[in-house]
Amino acid sequence: MSEEREITIYDIAKYLNISAATVSRGLKNNPMISKTTRKKITDAAQMLGYQSNAFASNLRSRHTHTLGVIVPRLNSYFMSSALAGMENAASRYGYNLIIAQSLEDAEKEKRNVATMFNKRVDGLLISLSYNTQNINHLEPFFKRKIPVIFFDRVYPHNESTSVGINNFEAAYQVTKHLIDQGCKRIMHLGGNVLRNVYQERLDGYRKALQDHHLPFTEKLHLTGPLSEQAGEDAARHILELSPDKRPDAVFSANDTAAVYCMLALQAAGIRIPEDIAFAGFNNDPISKVIAPNLTTVEYPGDSIGHTAATYLINHLKGISDLYATNAITLRADLVIRASSLKNKHPE
Amino acid sequence: MSEEREITIYDIAKYLNISAATVSRGLKNNPMISKTTRKKITDAAQMLGYQSNAFASNLRSRHTHTLGVIVPRLNSYFMSSALAGMENAASRYGYNLIIAQSLEDAEKEKRNVATMFNKRVDGLLISLSYNTQNINHLEPFFKRKIPVIFFDRVYPHNESTSVGINNFEAAYQVTKHLIDQGCKRIMHLGGNVLRNVYQERLDGYRKALQDHHLPFTEKLHLTGPLSEQAGEDAARHILELSPDKRPDAVFSANDTAAVYCMLALQAAGIRIPEDIAFAGFNNDPISKVIAPNLTTVEYPGDSIGHTAATYLINHLKGISDLYATNAITLRADLVIRASSLKNKHPE
DNA sequence: GAAACTGACGTAACCGATTGCATTTTTTAT
DNA sequence: ATAAAAAATGCAATCGGTTACGTCAGTTTC
C-alpha cells in the first residue's frame, strides 16, 4: 500500500555522486557530458525506474511538446481520419495531441481555445464550429505568437496557415460531370455558407452552371445541417415537387445527406441514376456501400491531418516558416461511381 | 514583434498590493478569502489578461486534470464515438484528453503508455491493441496507484475496471436469432481471440450452437482482421465451397467484414437473406445503408466512452471507488434488420 | 613554464502556482 | 474596554527540471 515515491534526477545524482545538472544534461544527450558519465546516468536512470516529470521540464523550458486540436465533432469519418493523420505525424516527432470538440457550438469552442492556451500547447490545429462568426477568441494565440493552423473549415488570417483542398474546383468538377451526363436541373444540398467549405462548394457549383449556360434556381438550392435527417428532408422536398419540376441530379455537399436522400427516394420508387443522378462529397465509407455506389469527391482526411500537423511541427522546430505560407492545398479527386452514370458508354 | 510577457499571479499581487498567496487562493474561490478581495482579484486578473499556467499548478498540486486515452485506431466509427463520449464527460468536469493510437501494435502501445505516464495523466483509458500479450507495461500506473480503465478490449486485472458490453450474451442472441430463422450452417467471421471481445463473441456463438444441437464446424470459423479485404476473402472462400457445403448464414464479429462479404456474394449472384442470411456487430453506419440492411448488435461507443470517463473522474474526485468495481457492463441490443429475416412473418 | 584555452562538471537562480504555518486584522464575547 | 476567537492575509518553502555562469583539472601554445 505504500505510495511509491517519485524518482527524480536528484535521486540519480545522489546515487552517482554527481550533480543534478549533470544528470539533466546527460539524459538529454548534451554533448558537454562525457560518454562515460552519460552512460552511467542512463543506466542508473533505467535501474532506478526514473520517469521524467514533464511539468517541471515544461515549466522551465516553456514548451510542452503538445499540440491542441479542436474539431466540431470527433465522430465523423473525415474528422477521425484527420485526427489519425495528425496523431501519426505528432507521435513521430515526439508530440502529443490534446483533443477537444466544439460540438458545433461557438461558445464551447471559445472555452476549448482558452483551455488549450492555459495548458500551453505549443501550437493549435483547429476546424471551426458551424456557427463561429469570427476568430477573436484566438487572439491570445496570435499575441503570444503561438502558431495556429486551420484545417478543413478555415478562416482567412494573415498570420496563420490553412490546410485543405480546393473546394471550389472540386465542386465545379462534380457539377460539370453531372452536366456532362446530360443533367440540366441539378439540385444542391449545401451547408452553412459561414463556413468556407460550403460557400466554396456552392460557388463552384454555381460557376459550373453558369459556364454551361444553365440557370441557378433558388428552389434547387437547399441549405441545412447535411445530416441523415437533412437528406431525408431533401427527398421529401423533391417528392413534393411536381414531376416536371423535379431535379434530374442532386449534388450534396456531403455523402451522408446524399445517401439518406437516395434511400428515401428509392423507397418512393425513384430510380438512381436514371431518374435522378447523385453525387456527394467526402468519399465516406457509406458511399461505397450504397447501391448504386455514390459518385463523390475524395476528401483526404488522413493527408490533411498529417500535413497540417507536420507543417506545424516543422514550424516549431524552425525548419519552415509558417507565417510565410498562407495556404496548403491538397489534391482532391473526383471519384466517379454508378450513381451519376446516365450514359452507358461515357467517352 | 515584441513578445508579450506572461501575466502571473505575482503581477496581480503587485498590482493590488497583496500577496501572491492571496491571489492564488482568490482565483480558486477559496472561502478563506473575503468576498471583496476575491472580487478585486478576479477583476484584476480579467483586466490584466491573466491566464493560469497549468504547469506550475500541476507541478505543485501533482495532478493535471488530464486523462490519457490509448486506442488501437482513431478512425473507426466505434472508437471515434467512444472518444466523443469521453470528451463530453471529461470537458464537463474540467478534464482534458490526451489521445494516442497504438495502430494495433503492442510496441507502440508501450511507448504510448510511457508517454502518458511522463505527462502525468491523472488516469488512463485504454483499449488494447490487436496483439498485446500482457499488461506489464501498465505496471508504473498500478504502482503509483494511477487509475486505469479498460474499455472495449479489456484485460482482467483486479485493480482496474473494465467497461464494455456482454459480448458473450450478444453473440449468443445473434446466433440464436439466426437459428430461429431456420439457419443450420452458420459461419462465424471472428477476430484475434487474444482480445476478449472476439473470444467472447466466439464463445457465445458456440454456446448457442450447442444449446440448439448444432455442430461447431472448424471450416465455418474464419479468423482474421475483420477488414474490408477480410470480408471479401470470406466471400471468396464461401464461393469456393461446393453449394451443399456452403453456410446458410454468416455471423461476423464486425459490420465491415459482414458488409464487404455481402457485397462480394451479391456480385456473384447470391441472394441475401434467401440463400445466406447475415448478421454483423457494432451497428456501424454502413449497416443501415447496405441493401438489405444488416442485422447487427448495437455497440454503444458513445455510452461506453462517456461511462468510462465519468467513472474514472468520479474515482479521481473520491466520489466512487474504482478498485471496488470490477466491471461495468452496458446494454447492447440486437438490432434485427432485413439481412437475416428469412421468415416473412416472424412471430 | 606561464598564459591561454578546452572539456567536464557543479552551483544556484530560476519557472509560476500551491500550501502549511505564522501573523495581522476583524469580529465576538465578556 | 479587553480578552478570546475567528477570519483574512502574508511568508516562505516547495514541486523537479533547466541553464547561465562559475570552477577546476588537464592540454595546448609560444
Side-chain angles (χ1 to χ4, degrees):
Chain A
M1 277 304 147
S2 75
E3 286 278 326
E4 299 260 340
R5 218 187 61 74
E6 189 131 354
I7 306 291
T8 72
I9 54 170
Y10 296 99
D11 298 320
I12 300 179
K14 200 167 295 170
Y15 181 79
L16 294 175
N17 268 322
I18 56 179
S19 79
T22 304
V23 175
S24 172
R25 294 192 181 99
L27 288 172
K28 295 173 54 194
N29 290 323
N30 187 317
M32 195 185 282
I33 304 300
S34 75
K35 267 213 182 305
T36 54
T37 29
R38 208 185 308 173
K39 179 84 169 63
K40 272 195 287 186
I41 290 168
T42 50
D43 285 352
Q46 176 74 37
M47 217 217 84
L48 298 174
Y50 168 79
Q51 300 268 4
S52 87
N53 183 325
F55 302 147
S57 165
N58 295 336
L59 176 58
R60 188 65 222 257
S61 64
R62 339 215 32 119
H63 52 298
T64 59
H65 285 271
T66 300
L67 305 180
V69 186
I70 300 176
V71 300
R73 312 202 89 91
L74 278 160
N75 52 346
S76 79
Y77 177 73
F78 169 77
M79 273 306 164
S80 57
S81 301
L83 291 174
M86 288 176 188
E87 205 277 339
N88 284 338
S91 78
R92 175 182 352 270
Y93 297 107
Y95 280 78
N96 283 105
L97 257 35
I98 291 191
I99 300 179
Q101 51 186 347
S102 64
L103 298 176
E104 304 287 14
D105 175 21
E107 288 307 314
K108 182 143 195 273
E109 183 175 290
K110 279 187 196 174
R111 293 199 297 278
N112 287 337
V113 168
T115 310
M116 298 290 180
F117 188 86
N118 283 1
K119 295 241 170 176
R120 299 295 192 277
V121 295
D122 287 350
L124 185 67
L125 295 152
I126 184 169
S127 179
L128 298 172
S129 88
Y130 202 73
N131 55 9
T132 295
Q133 300 280 344
N134 56 56
I135 54 171
N136 295 342
H137 51 310
L138 293 175
E139 271 308 319
F141 281 85
F142 299 144
K143 271 217 187 92
R144 306 275 333 268
K145 304 273 181 224
I146 300 169
V148 174
I149 287 194
F150 294 97
F151 67 98
D152 180 41
R153 295 158 168 201
V154 308
Y155 199 96
H157 183 262
N158 57 6
E159 278 182 32
S160 40
T161 302
S162 296
V163 178
I165 63 165
N166 188 331
N167 286 283
F168 177 89
E169 176 64 18
Y172 187 98
Q173 291 302 331
V174 171
T175 312
K176 178 173 181 308
H177 163 70
L178 292 171
I179 295 170
D180 288 349
Q181 295 296 310
C183 301
K184 302 219 175 304
R185 298 177 49 75
I186 304 173
M187 170 177 269
H188 179 55
L189 304 184
N192 187 345
V193 293
L194 201 54
R195 292 285 71 81
N196 72 304
V197 290
Y198 302 122
Q199 176 69 60
E200 290 164 22
R201 288 171 200 176
L202 174 60
D203 292 345
Y205 157 77
R206 293 188 64 157
K207 185 64 162 58
L209 291 184
Q210 185 188 319
D211 285 359
H212 294 80
H213 313 294
L214 291 173
F216 169 74
T217 321
E218 265 306 338
K219 294 223 166 168
L220 291 181
H221 173 216
L222 267 48
T223 298
L226 298 171
S227 58
E228 298 182 2
Q229 184 62 50
E232 289 167 359
D233 291 348
R236 188 166 339 112
H237 177 79
I238 290 170
L239 292 170
E240 280 168 1
L241 293 173
S242 63
D244 59 308
K245 301 248 180 183
R246 286 183 188 162
D248 54 10
V250 173
F251 164 36
S252 169
N254 81 7
D255 289 343
T256 302
V259 162
Y260 280 82
C261 186
M262 286 169 73
L263 289 171
L265 289 177
Q266 286 173 329
I270 291 193
R271 295 166 306 161
I272 295 168
E274 293 80 358
D275 299 332
I276 303 184
F278 262 84
F281 211 105
N282 281 6
N283 200 14
D284 192 281
I286 56 173
S287 69
K288 279 193 300 181
V289 170
I290 183 80
N293 280 188
L294 179 64
T295 290
T296 187
V297 175
E298 160 70 7
Y299 195 24
D302 196 81
S303 306
I304 288 179
H306 195 277
T307 303
T310 303
Y311 206 73
L312 182 53
I313 292 168
N314 281 343
H315 172 83
L316 292 171
K317 294 183 157 190
I319 296 174
S320 64
D321 181 16
L322 189 137
Y323 298 124
T325 311
N326 194 251
I328 297 175
T329 306
L330 300 185
R331 187 173 309 285
D333 292 320
L334 181 61
V335 180
I336 297 175
R337 301 207 183 99
S339 74
S340 66
L341 289 178
K342 291 208 177 191
N343 305 337
K344 291 298 163 196
H345 304 288
E347 327 147 54
Chain B
M1 276 304 150
S2 75
E3 285 279 325
E4 299 261 340
R5 217 186 64 73
E6 189 131 352
I7 306 291
T8 74
I9 54 169
Y10 297 99
D11 298 319
I12 300 179
K14 200 167 297 169
Y15 180 78
L16 295 175
N17 269 320
I18 56 179
S19 79
T22 304
V23 175
S24 173
R25 294 192 179 99
L27 289 172
K28 293 174 56 196
N29 289 323
N30 187 317
M32 197 184 281
I33 303 300
S34 74
K35 266 211 183 307
T36 54
T37 29
R38 206 186 308 173
K39 179 86 168 64
K40 273 196 286 186
I41 291 169
T42 51
D43 285 353
Q46 176 75 36
M47 216 217 85
L48 298 173
Y50 168 79
Q51 300 269 3
S52 88
N53 183 325
F55 302 148
S57 167
N58 295 336
L59 176 57
R60 187 64 223 261
S61 63
R62 335 211 41 116
H63 51 297
T64 59
H65 284 269
T66 301
L67 306 180
V69 186
I70 300 176
V71 300
R73 312 203 89 91
L74 279 160
N75 51 347
S76 80
Y77 177 73
F78 169 77
M79 273 307 165
S80 56
S81 300
L83 291 174
M86 288 175 188
E87 205 277 338
N88 284 337
S91 79
R92 182 192 335 281
Y93 298 107
Y95 281 78
N96 283 106
L97 256 36
I98 292 192
I99 300 178
Q101 51 186 347
S102 63
L103 297 175
E104 304 287 13
D105 175 21
E107 288 307 314
K108 182 145 196 271
E109 182 175 290
K110 279 187 197 171
R111 292 199 299 277
N112 288 335
V113 168
T115 308
M116 296 292 181
F117 188 86
N118 283 2
K119 294 240 170 177
R120 299 294 193 276
V121 295
D122 287 350
L124 185 67
L125 295 152
I126 184 168
S127 179
L128 297 172
S129 88
Y130 203 72
N131 55 8
T132 295
Q133 300 278 345
N134 57 55
I135 54 172
N136 294 344
H137 50 311
L138 293 176
E139 271 308 319
F141 281 85
F142 300 143
K143 273 217 188 90
R144 305 276 333 268
K145 304 274 182 223
I146 300 169
V148 174
I149 288 195
F150 294 97
F151 68 97
D152 179 42
R153 296 157 169 202
V154 308
Y155 200 96
H157 183 263
N158 57 6
E159 279 182 33
S160 40
T161 302
S162 296
V163 178
I165 63 166
N166 188 332
N167 286 282
F168 177 88
E169 176 64 18
Y172 188 97
Q173 291 303 331
V174 170
T175 312
K176 178 173 181 306
H177 163 70
L178 292 171
I179 295 169
D180 288 347
Q181 295 294 310
C183 302
K184 303 222 173 301
R185 300 177 49 75
I186 304 173
M187 169 176 268
H188 179 54
L189 304 184
N192 188 344
V193 293
L194 200 53
R195 292 285 71 81
N196 72 304
V197 290
Y198 302 123
Q199 177 68 60
E200 290 164 21
R201 288 172 201 177
L202 173 60
D203 292 345
Y205 157 78
R206 293 188 64 157
K207 185 64 162 57
L209 292 184
Q210 184 187 321
D211 285 358
H212 294 82
H213 312 294
L214 291 173
F216 170 75
T217 321
E218 265 307 339
K219 294 224 166 168
L220 291 181
H221 174 215
L222 268 48
T223 298
L226 298 171
S227 58
E228 298 182 4
Q229 184 63 50
E232 289 167 359
D233 291 348
R236 188 165 339 111
H237 178 79
I238 291 171
L239 292 170
E240 281 167 1
L241 294 173
S242 63
D244 61 307
K245 301 250 183 185
R246 286 183 188 163
D248 53 10
V250 173
F251 164 36
S252 169
N254 81 9
D255 289 342
T256 302
V259 162
Y260 280 82
C261 186
M262 285 170 73
L263 289 170
L265 289 177
Q266 285 173 328
I270 290 193
R271 294 165 308 159
I272 295 167
E274 293 80 359
D275 299 333
I276 304 183
F278 261 85
F281 211 105
N282 281 6
N283 199 14
D284 191 281
I286 57 174
S287 69
K288 280 194 298 181
V289 170
I290 182 82
N293 279 187
L294 179 64
T295 290
T296 187
V297 174
E298 161 70 7
Y299 194 25
D302 196 82
S303 306
I304 289 179
H306 195 277
T307 303
T310 303
Y311 205 74
L312 182 52
I313 292 168
N314 280 342
H315 172 84
L316 291 171
K317 293 183 156 191
I319 295 175
S320 64
D321 181 17
L322 188 136
Y323 298 123
T325 311
N326 195 250
I328 297 176
T329 306
L330 300 186
R331 187 172 309 285
D333 292 320
L334 181 59
V335 179
I336 298 175
R337 300 206 184 100
S339 74
S340 65
L341 289 179
K342 292 206 176 191
N343 305 338
K344 290 300 165 198
H345 305 288
E347 329 147 54

